[in-house]
Amino acid sequence: VSGALKHQLSLMFELCDEFQKSREENRFDGEAMQYQVKKRMEILENERIRQYESYANGHIKRDAYITEKERLNAEYEEQKQKYEALIRTKNEDDNLVFEINRLKGKGSHLFEENGFTRNIAKAFIHRVYIYSMDKIEIEFKFEDLFLKLQNRMNKEGVVAE
Protein backbone atom coordinates (compact mmCIF):
# COMPACT_ATOMS: atom_id res chain seq x y z
CA VAL A 1 0.00 0.00 0.00
CA SER A 2 2.82 2.36 0.89
CA GLY A 3 4.59 1.64 -2.38
CA ALA A 4 1.41 2.22 -4.40
CA LEU A 5 0.80 5.49 -2.59
CA LYS A 6 4.36 6.70 -3.20
CA HIS A 7 4.07 5.73 -6.86
CA GLN A 8 0.74 7.54 -7.33
CA LEU A 9 2.00 10.65 -5.57
CA SER A 10 5.21 10.72 -7.59
CA LEU A 11 3.18 10.45 -10.82
CA MET A 12 0.92 13.23 -9.60
CA PHE A 13 3.88 15.46 -8.72
CA GLU A 14 5.52 14.85 -12.11
CA LEU A 15 2.28 15.68 -13.89
CA CYS A 16 1.89 18.80 -11.76
CA ASP A 17 5.41 19.94 -12.59
CA GLU A 18 4.67 19.51 -16.30
CA PHE A 19 1.41 21.42 -15.92
CA GLN A 20 3.05 24.28 -14.03
CA LYS A 21 5.88 24.45 -16.59
CA SER A 22 3.36 24.57 -19.45
CA ARG A 23 1.27 27.13 -17.59
CA GLU A 24 4.29 29.38 -17.03
CA GLU A 25 5.32 29.10 -20.69
CA ASN A 26 1.81 30.05 -21.83
CA ARG A 27 1.08 32.63 -19.13
CA PHE A 28 1.90 35.61 -21.31
CA ASP A 29 -0.27 34.26 -24.14
CA GLY A 30 -3.25 34.00 -21.77
CA GLU A 31 -2.66 37.45 -20.34
CA ALA A 32 -2.27 38.88 -23.84
CA MET A 33 -5.52 37.25 -24.95
CA GLN A 34 -7.35 38.65 -21.91
CA TYR A 35 -5.94 42.11 -22.64
CA GLN A 36 -6.91 41.95 -26.33
CA VAL A 37 -10.45 40.79 -25.59
CA LYS A 38 -10.91 43.42 -22.88
CA LYS A 39 -9.56 46.12 -25.22
CA ARG A 40 -11.96 45.00 -27.98
CA MET A 41 -14.86 45.21 -25.52
CA GLU A 42 -13.88 48.79 -24.67
CA ILE A 43 -13.69 49.69 -28.36
CA LEU A 44 -17.13 48.18 -28.96
CA GLU A 45 -18.57 50.03 -25.97
CA ASN A 46 -17.17 53.32 -27.28
CA GLU A 47 -18.51 52.56 -30.75
CA ARG A 48 -21.98 51.90 -29.32
CA ILE A 49 -21.87 55.30 -27.60
CA ARG A 50 -20.63 56.98 -30.78
CA GLN A 51 -23.41 55.36 -32.82
CA TYR A 52 -26.04 56.53 -30.35
CA GLU A 53 -24.70 60.08 -30.41
CA SER A 54 -24.72 60.08 -34.22
CA TYR A 55 -28.32 58.88 -34.20
CA ALA A 56 -29.33 61.41 -31.50
CA ASN A 57 -27.73 64.24 -33.52
CA GLY A 58 -29.52 63.14 -36.69
CA HIS A 59 -26.39 62.04 -38.59
CA ILE A 60 -27.66 58.49 -39.18
CA LYS A 61 -31.14 57.12 -39.72
CA ARG A 62 -32.99 55.03 -37.17
CA ASP A 63 -32.85 51.79 -39.20
CA ALA A 64 -29.10 52.12 -39.75
CA TYR A 65 -28.62 52.85 -36.06
CA ILE A 66 -30.66 49.81 -34.95
CA THR A 67 -28.85 47.51 -37.38
CA GLU A 68 -25.44 48.72 -36.24
CA LYS A 69 -26.47 48.61 -32.58
CA GLU A 70 -27.54 44.97 -32.92
CA ARG A 71 -24.27 44.06 -34.64
CA LEU A 72 -22.22 45.82 -31.96
CA ASN A 73 -24.24 44.25 -29.15
CA ALA A 74 -23.80 40.77 -30.62
CA GLU A 75 -20.05 41.21 -31.01
CA TYR A 76 -19.78 42.69 -27.52
CA GLU A 77 -21.60 39.68 -26.01
CA GLU A 78 -19.34 37.32 -27.94
CA GLN A 79 -16.24 39.10 -26.62
CA LYS A 80 -17.69 39.15 -23.09
CA GLN A 81 -18.26 35.38 -23.17
CA LYS A 82 -14.73 34.85 -24.48
CA TYR A 83 -13.31 37.04 -21.68
CA GLU A 84 -15.34 35.24 -19.00
CA ALA A 85 -14.14 31.87 -20.35
CA LEU A 86 -10.52 33.03 -20.16
CA ILE A 87 -10.99 34.22 -16.58
CA ARG A 88 -12.81 31.00 -15.63
CA THR A 89 -10.00 28.87 -17.09
CA LYS A 90 -7.37 30.89 -15.23
CA ASN A 91 -9.28 30.56 -11.95
CA GLU A 92 -9.75 26.81 -12.45
CA ASP A 93 -6.04 26.44 -13.16
CA ASP A 94 -5.16 28.49 -10.08
CA ASN A 95 -7.43 26.33 -7.91
CA LEU A 96 -5.98 23.15 -9.38
CA VAL A 97 -2.42 24.30 -8.67
CA PHE A 98 -3.42 25.31 -5.13
CA GLU A 99 -4.93 21.89 -4.43
CA ILE A 100 -1.93 20.09 -5.86
CA ASN A 101 0.51 22.21 -3.85
CA ARG A 102 -1.53 21.42 -0.74
CA LEU A 103 -1.27 17.73 -1.58
CA LYS A 104 2.45 18.12 -2.19
CA GLY A 105 2.81 19.61 1.27
CA LYS A 106 1.04 16.62 2.79
CA GLY A 107 2.94 14.12 0.66
CA SER A 108 6.44 15.53 0.90
CA HIS A 109 7.05 14.03 4.35
CA LEU A 110 5.94 10.63 3.07
CA PHE A 111 9.03 10.42 0.89
CA GLU A 112 11.23 11.40 3.83
CA GLU A 113 9.76 8.96 6.37
CA ASN A 114 10.58 5.28 6.36
CA GLY A 115 7.40 3.98 7.92
CA PHE A 116 3.82 3.92 6.79
CA THR A 117 1.79 5.43 9.60
CA ARG A 118 -1.90 5.53 10.37
CA ASN A 119 -1.86 9.32 9.79
CA ILE A 120 -0.43 8.87 6.30
CA ALA A 121 -3.15 6.32 5.52
CA LYS A 122 -5.85 8.71 6.81
CA ALA A 123 -4.45 11.60 4.80
CA PHE A 124 -4.26 9.87 1.42
CA ILE A 125 -6.26 6.64 1.30
CA HIS A 126 -10.03 6.57 1.02
CA ARG A 127 -10.60 2.80 0.95
CA VAL A 128 -8.71 -0.46 0.50
CA TYR A 129 -10.47 -3.48 -0.97
CA ILE A 130 -8.83 -6.86 -0.45
CA TYR A 131 -10.20 -9.45 -2.86
CA SER A 132 -7.56 -12.11 -2.36
CA MET A 133 -3.90 -12.40 -1.42
CA ASP A 134 -2.99 -11.40 -4.97
CA LYS A 135 -5.57 -8.70 -5.63
CA ILE A 136 -5.89 -5.45 -3.70
CA GLU A 137 -7.66 -2.30 -4.87
CA ILE A 138 -6.80 1.08 -3.33
CA GLU A 139 -8.98 4.19 -3.63
CA PHE A 140 -6.88 7.29 -3.06
CA LYS A 141 -8.42 10.54 -1.81
CA PHE A 142 -6.69 12.53 -4.54
CA GLU A 143 -7.90 10.55 -7.57
CA ASP A 144 -10.35 13.29 -8.61
CA LEU A 145 -7.55 15.86 -8.45
CA PHE A 146 -5.34 13.58 -10.53
CA LEU A 147 -8.11 13.24 -13.14
CA LYS A 148 -8.72 17.00 -13.23
CA LEU A 149 -5.04 17.60 -13.85
CA GLN A 150 -4.89 14.97 -16.58
CA ASN A 151 -8.01 16.35 -18.28
CA ARG A 152 -6.70 19.91 -18.14
CA MET A 153 -3.37 18.87 -19.64
CA ASN A 154 -5.11 16.85 -22.36
CA LYS A 155 -7.26 19.89 -23.15
CA GLU A 156 -4.10 21.96 -23.65
CA GLY A 157 -2.34 19.21 -25.54
CA VAL A 158 0.42 18.92 -22.92
CA VAL A 159 1.74 15.40 -22.59
CA ALA A 160 3.76 14.35 -19.58
CA GLU A 161 7.00 12.62 -20.42
Side-chain angles (χ1 to χ4, degrees):
V1 175
S2 177
L5 177 58
K6 284 182 180 181
H7 179 70
Q8 287 294 314
L9 285 174
S10 66
L11 288 175
M12 175 79 138
F13 296 162
E14 286 177 31
L15 201 56
C16 181
D17 290 342
E18 286 291 320
F19 177 69
Q20 287 178 319
K21 180 181 170 188
S22 167
R23 193 167 177 242
E24 187 60 35
E25 289 171 355
N26 296 322
R27 186 186 69 160
F28 296 112
D29 292 342
E31 290 173 358
M33 286 176 62
Q34 284 179 4
Y35 177 78
Q36 288 173 350
V37 170
K38 189 75 169 168
K39 202 69 170 154
R40 182 66 185 152
M41 288 171 63
E42 290 172 7
I43 289 168
L44 291 167
E45 185 65 32
N46 290 333
E47 183 61 20
R48 288 194 302 192
I49 292 168
R50 193 183 71 72
Q51 287 294 320
Y52 176 75
E53 288 172 348
S54 292
Y55 168 67
N57 291 331
H59 298 299
I60 60 173
K61 295 186 186 221
R62 183 176 188 276
D63 292 341
Y65 166 71
I66 290 173
T67 301
E68 186 62 13
K69 177 184 166 188
E70 288 172 355
R71 185 191 70 76
L72 291 170
N73 285 343
E75 186 177 347
Y76 183 86
E77 281 303 312
E78 181 182 310
Q79 294 297 317
K80 182 179 174 186
Q81 288 175 0
K82 194 182 293 186
Y83 183 76
E84 289 169 352
L86 288 168
I87 296 296
R88 194 171 36 256
T89 298
K90 182 190 179 306
N91 290 340
E92 288 170 359
D93 287 355
D94 289 345
N95 289 337
L96 185 59
V97 168
F98 174 79
E99 288 296 319
I100 290 168
N101 285 334
R102 195 169 60 101
L103 182 68
K104 273 186 172 181
K106 282 184 182 178
S108 62
H109 71 277
L110 178 62
F111 290 99
E112 297 166 1
E113 290 182 10
N114 293 332
F116 184 74
T117 66
R118 185 175 197 77
N119 289 338
I120 291 172
K122 282 183 178 180
F124 296 105
I125 297 174
H126 181 63
R127 259 188 210 118
V128 176
Y129 299 99
I130 301 172
Y131 299 107
S132 68
M133 293 298 282
D134 297 337
K135 186 174 180 186
I136 297 175
E137 182 181 338
I138 304 168
E139 276 185 32
F140 296 106
K141 289 184 177 180
F142 56 87
E143 285 179 2
D144 59 332
L145 189 59
F146 194 56
L147 290 173
K148 281 182 193 175
L149 181 59
Q150 286 179 317
N151 290 337
R152 183 67 183 101
M153 291 182 70
N154 288 339
K155 190 175 176 182
E156 275 189 17
V158 176
V159 179
E161 297 172 3

